[in-house]
Amino acid sequence: MDAARRVTWRVEGMDCAACVAKVTRAVERLPGIAAVEVNLMAERLALDLGGGGAEALEAVEAQIAALGYRATRIDGDGPVAPASAGPTHGHAGHDDPADAATPWWATGKARLTGLLGALVLGAQAASLVLPDSLTYPLFLAATAIALVPFGRRALALARAGSPFSIETLMCTAALGAAVIGAAEEAAVVVLLFATGELLENVAAGSARAGIRALAGLMPRVALRLRPDGGTEPLAPERLAIGDLVLVRPGDRVPCDGVIEEGRSAIDESPVTGESVPVSRGRGDAVIAGSINADGAIRVRVTRAAADNTIARIIALVEEATASRAPTQRFIERFSRWWTPAAMAVALLAVLLPPFLLGWTWETSLYRGLAVLLIACPCALVISVPAAMASGLSAGARRGLLVKGGAALERIGAARIVAFDKTGTLTEGRPRVTAVLPAPGRSAEEVLALAGGVEQGSAHPLARAILAEAAQRGLSLPPARGLAAIAGRAVVATVAGRRITVGSPRHAAEAGVPLGGLAAELPRLETEGMTVAVVLIDDAPLGLVALRDEPRADARAGVAALAALGLRSVMLTGDNARTGAAIAASIGLEAKAELLPGDKLREIGHLRQDGPVVMVGDGINDAPALAAASVGVAMGGGTDVALETADAAVLKDRVTGVAELVSLSRATMANVRQNVAVAIGLKAVFLATTLAGVTGLWPAILADTGATVLVTLNALRLLRWAPRW
């Protein structure tokens, strides 16, 4: 057998979770097929093909076509943006590929619904003046016209492994109604069913529009600078890494890059949700889709279009909508048993009442067919994924990325939020506030030797020491034999001497007496400063005190979490006095002097009191992020922030964590409302049907109406906004 290869198709026409289940089951039955993944929002089918070449590919496409969908193979692997559908005012998935750029009211489904509506309304109007013998054929014609495409699809689904589909139930009920002389109601049933399918298409198109809006953040034209200083317009997709582009005031940034020349205020709100423009100058990173507010800048491209921030967000949102929450998986398992069980109940409703309740066979058959329609699980199946997709899209528009429904569900259930300190609760840009040399040493010597050890390090404290040395104009000596002691110190040989830059705890564990410097430690730490001890040949050289200011919104973010009923804890490697001082200024408790392994154990202890959200910068906190119930990275769109954790706050604000919790709870409340509507309507109509109060067309409303209601309710989430 040939090695498995990944093949991807765009599948047009899917508009609900039931469609995903149908395509998945149908394709899984084909020989040589494995790892089938169907993404509703991206309209994408991906699978592993074990062999068979062109014949196997044609078999997949034929199977999908038999279900009433159209598969178009995509060259290459990876995330695919949703099919373009023109303006984002509500286009649908379509059965006919020619419909892909057509407004929903001009699609094949809309034409079928319009024809059925005209026939039914015409027959109803004619019945007011004509005898039933003349209008009855019109109702039969409407029923027959609808049953041709729906019946063909029901047969294809049955052959593909889905015998209990909504199409099967609807066709059985409509045919049964026609047989017992209720053609008028049969016609109304098929009209309502077609209308429901059309509305599902419109709703699916509206949900996809949220993702298309993200793609719309990219400008159509980029101005690439030529070697002669002129510019040439071209599509952003054609930009290559290393190209230099001109971004004029008012232009959208066409790429991820670094400013080479100029300074401007950059409005990143379209991507991160951060409403205040930020000043950016030479050497600063900018992200695709942000808006250059006032000054012209020249930007060097650092990422290809397929890998820029916008493309990655779109890919993450699409993948997230394909990831099913535990609630959704339960509903799907439940619905597999629901439909055949409901068909059995409908059969019993036909066979038993004539003997037990004295109903006529005609009455019994009629009510049994109505029960069959009520049994359709569409509204129940779509209730969860519709809400999840809307919640994920609403979050992405505000710089809140969540990797799937499972993570979104867990965030709202959290009871504790654990924060890393540096770069999360604080700005991540510490500065040197004091240098205290040992007797006989100078501050410049302390900084120069410490800076020599820290050269090349990306740690925030190292950068602060290097920045202070540069500000004082110090020349840094080269270092050799650099070694790191995780969470404790960095050691190197500088100018023939062994220099150690580490924590006071490391100096104490090494047994190095600090002499008069020891008295300064408590004062500096109580003031919220982090102190680095610099040793020379295991003797004290001096102290470097640094302070990393809390983020401007840190206190408000912690207060917002408290208002939501969550307990907040800061986890830090700082000493207890420094940790307590910073925690007190923000308004939360602190767990200090934690090494990376200690943070991991602390997360385990916290989880004993309930689900834990761990918030970190996505760089040094990977173990703790993975150990928590949900890991949230704050990283302003960096690779690690988008890939390490279960969720990311792109706006780099502490209040974003409370927004994630609020979004999760709003989404799960929407899910509960949807499930209640789906089951509640069915229960009401089941009772009224068996009591003889309602008939066939109200029965189809129990499903079609519920489907429309839960979809519209889910779409409300697209307008979600945080309270603060």
Side-chain angles (χ1 to χ4, degrees), residues 594-619:
L594 301 177
L595 300 175
D598 298 329
K599 288 186 180 181
L600 201 61
R601 284 190 291 274
E602 191 62 40
I603 291 292
H605 294 322
L606 291 173
R607 289 192 68 169
Q608 295 175 7
D609 297 327
V612 176
V613 171
M614 172 67 193
V615 187
D617 59 13
I619 299 171

Side-chain angles (χ1 to χ4, degrees), residues 271-520:
V271 182
T272 67
E274 177 55 71
S275 58
V276 180
V278 290
S279 179
R280 295 278 189 264
R282 179 179 173 83
D284 291 333
V286 292
I287 56 179
S290 54
I291 301 171
N292 181 19
D294 47 33
I297 54 175
R298 298 187 177 203
V299 177
R300 182 75 65 183
V301 179
T302 57
R303 276 209 185 107
D307 197 38
N308 67 30
T309 300
I310 295 293
R312 295 161 73 82
I313 291 174
I314 292 172
L316 283 169
V317 174
E318 289 178 352
E319 291 166 7
T321 56
S323 173
R324 295 173 299 169
T327 302
Q328 181 178 345
R329 288 195 293 267
F330 170 77
I331 292 292
E332 288 174 355
R333 288 195 302 269
F334 176 73
S335 68
R336 290 174 192 161
W337 292 96
W338 167 290
T339 306
M343 292 188 78
V345 170
L347 182 61
L348 292 175
V350 172
L351 298 178
L352 296 183
F355 300 104
L356 300 179
L357 303 175
W359 294 0
T360 66
W361 283 105
E362 182 179 354
T363 299
S364 181
L365 179 59
Y366 180 88
R367 294 181 185 177
L369 293 174
V371 170
L372 197 62
L373 290 174
I374 294 170
C376 296
C378 281
L380 187 62
V381 171
I382 200 175
S383 59
V384 180
M388 288 293 178
S390 293
L392 292 166
S393 296
R397 291 181 183 180
R398 290 164 177 80
L400 308 173
L401 295 185
V402 185
K403 293 184 178 178
L408 184 60
E409 185 172 338
R410 291 198 304 270
I411 290 171
R415 292 291 172 266
I416 303 168
V417 179
F419 288 95
D420 174 53
K421 179 179 77 73
T422 305
T424 303
L425 286 172
T426 63
E427 295 285 353
R429 294 189 294 271
R431 59 184 181 85
V432 174
T433 55
V435 180
L436 282 65
R441 303 287 184 178
S442 69
E444 286 71 19
E445 181 186 11
V446 174
L447 274 175
L449 292 175
V453 174
E454 299 287 14
Q455 288 179 91
S457 173
H459 193 281
L461 297 183
R463 289 199 299 265
I465 291 172
L466 293 170
E468 182 68 15
Q471 185 176 343
R472 299 192 184 199
L474 302 179
S475 177
L476 303 182
R480 296 184 294 104
L482 184 68
I485 304 172
R488 287 182 170 87
V490 181
V491 184
T493 301
V494 182
R497 310 291 294 273
R498 186 173 185 268
I499 306 298
T500 303
V501 182
S503 65
R505 178 180 176 181
H506 172 70
E509 290 175 348
V512 178
L514 298 182
L517 295 176
E520 298 293 335

Side-chain angles (χ1 to χ4, degrees), residues 608-641:
Q608 295 175 7
D609 297 327
V612 176
V613 171
M614 172 67 193
V615 187
D617 59 13
I619 299 171
N620 301 317
D621 307 304
L625 289 170
S629 308
V630 182
V632 176
M634 293 178 62
T638 63
D639 284 350
V640 177

Side-chain angles (χ1 to χ4, degrees), residues 534-562:
V534 185
L535 306 177
I536 180 168
D537 293 333
D538 295 328
L541 179 63
L543 304 180
V544 180
L546 308 98
R547 184 173 175 92
D548 187 10
E549 297 298 331
R551 293 184 184 274
D553 73 323
R555 189 172 188 87
V558 171
L561 287 168

Side-chain angles (χ1 to χ4, degrees), residues 3-252:
R5 59 192 175 105
R6 196 70 169 168
V7 188
T8 306
W9 287 266
R10 172 167 285 114
V11 181
E12 298 168 17
M14 297 190 300
D15 49 43
C16 69
C19 297
V20 172
K22 293 170 188 174
V23 172
T24 302
R25 282 197 292 267
V27 174
E28 282 177 341
R29 294 166 62 90
L30 297 174
I33 301 298
V36 177
E37 296 176 4
V38 182
N39 189 322
L40 174 64
M41 300 308 297
E43 298 180 287
R44 187 179 64 213
L45 161 67
L47 53 82
D48 289 343
L49 189 64
E55 296 82 3
L57 298 177
E58 291 173 2
V60 171
E61 291 168 8
Q63 186 79 302
I64 295 171
L67 301 181
Y69 309 112
R70 170 63 182 266
T72 304
R73 189 175 169 201
I74 300 169
D75 292 328
D77 297 328
V80 181
S84 175
T88 61
H89 58 271
H91 289 230
H94 309 277
D95 288 338
D96 186 344
D99 289 338
T102 306
W104 66 265
W105 58 83
T107 62
K109 284 186 176 179
R111 290 193 295 271
L112 174 61
T113 304
L115 175 60
L116 291 175
L119 283 171
V120 172
L121 292 176
Q124 288 283 7
S127 67
L128 298 176
V129 295
L130 297 176
D132 290 346
S133 60
L134 295 179
T135 57
Y136 191 80
L138 289 177
F139 290 116
L140 282 179
T143 305
I145 288 171
L147 287 181
V148 170
F150 295 142
R152 187 186 301 123
R153 198 189 309 170
L155 290 173
L157 287 166
R159 287 195 296 268
S162 300
F164 301 114
S165 64
I166 173 64
E167 288 83 358
T168 301
L169 300 183
M170 192 278 300
C171 290
T172 302
L175 282 172
V179 167
I180 64 174
E184 180 177 353
E185 291 193 77
V188 173
V189 163
V190 294
L191 172 60
L192 289 173
F193 182 79
T195 303
E197 282 213 327
L198 179 61
L199 290 174
E200 286 178 0
N201 270 350
V202 175
S206 297
R208 290 186 183 111
I211 300 177
R212 286 198 299 270
L214 293 172
L217 296 177
M218 288 297 293
R220 295 181 181 274
V221 177
L223 296 176
R224 183 169 62 186
L225 286 159
R226 298 194 302 261
D228 62 6
T231 61
E232 57 178 336
L234 77 167
E237 293 79 13
R238 295 179 56 194
L239 291 174
I241 295 175
D243 282 350
L244 194 62
V245 297
L246 174 66
V247 186
R248 301 167 301 188
D251 286 351
R252 285 190 184 271

